[in-house]
Amino acid sequence: MEGILPLNKPKGMTSHDCVFKLRKLLKTKKVGHTGTLDPDVTGVLPICIGRATKIAEYITDAGKAYEGEVTIGFSTTTEDKSGEVVEQKPVTESFTRNEILAVFEKLTGEIEQTPPMFSAVKVNGKKALRICACWY
């Protein structure tokens, strides 16, 4: 089998888990994903099979769109909802739509992002891990 499978990745599985299961199911070693999705999220994960693995890097470098949900008022050990809560503050004010859109505007376009403490990002072949995280 060869081609690109747009897999709707379920919550609770890593991108690698999906590739591993497909390798077993399809009985082939030439299976790879085109970008890591966090185990806590769902979404379309393009999986390249067979000769299609040769174009995986081009798909990986292509533009992507994300939809997210934000909960304010607490910080966790992993900087996402799966971590242990380390600080919690009551939300005592409301936000206008324009204030929220102004924050979104800062996150639009090309931005430089520091990977979270628990990240699949690699630098020089080694996992990029932060030593310390501070919340103020």
Side-chain angles (χ1 to χ4, degrees):
M1 176 181 242
E2 295 179 334
I4 301 170
L5 174 69
L7 178 71
N8 187 9
K9 188 193 86 60
K11 185 176 178 178
M13 290 184 73
T14 66
S15 299
H16 178 73
D17 291 340
C18 297
V19 167
F20 180 78
K21 285 192 180 232
L22 281 169
R23 280 184 181 139
K24 289 179 84 172
L25 182 69
L26 301 175
K27 297 181 174 115
T28 182
K29 290 184 179 185
K30 289 193 88 175
V31 178
H33 64 78
T34 59
T36 302
L37 288 178
D38 189 271
D40 284 342
V41 303
T42 62
V44 176
L45 179 65
I47 304 280
C48 294
I49 304 163
R51 290 187 307 174
T53 57
K54 293 180 181 188
I55 64 166
E57 68 181 283
Y58 302 107
I59 297 172
T60 301
D61 293 341
K64 297 172 179 71
Y66 300 94
E67 182 178 310
E69 181 178 309
V70 176
T71 304
I72 59 173
F74 67 92
S75 297
T76 68
T77 54
T78 56
E79 298 179 352
D80 63 18
K81 71 177 188 172
S82 68
E84 185 178 320
V85 175
V86 292
E87 183 179 5
Q88 197 161 358
K89 293 182 179 179
V91 179
T92 58
E93 57 186 271
S94 60
F95 304 95
T96 68
R97 177 177 172 78
N98 287 338
E99 289 172 320
I100 293 169
L101 292 175
V103 171
F104 287 164
E105 185 66 33
K106 292 177 185 176
L107 299 171
T108 301
E110 196 168 311
I111 60 172
E112 193 167 318
Q113 183 178 0
T114 303
M117 290 180 297
F118 295 87
S119 171
V121 174
K122 292 187 178 183
V123 176
N124 297 323
K126 295 186 178 184
K127 277 185 98 173
L129 294 176
R130 245 192 320 194
I131 304 295
C132 173
C134 303
W135 293 273
Y136 296 98

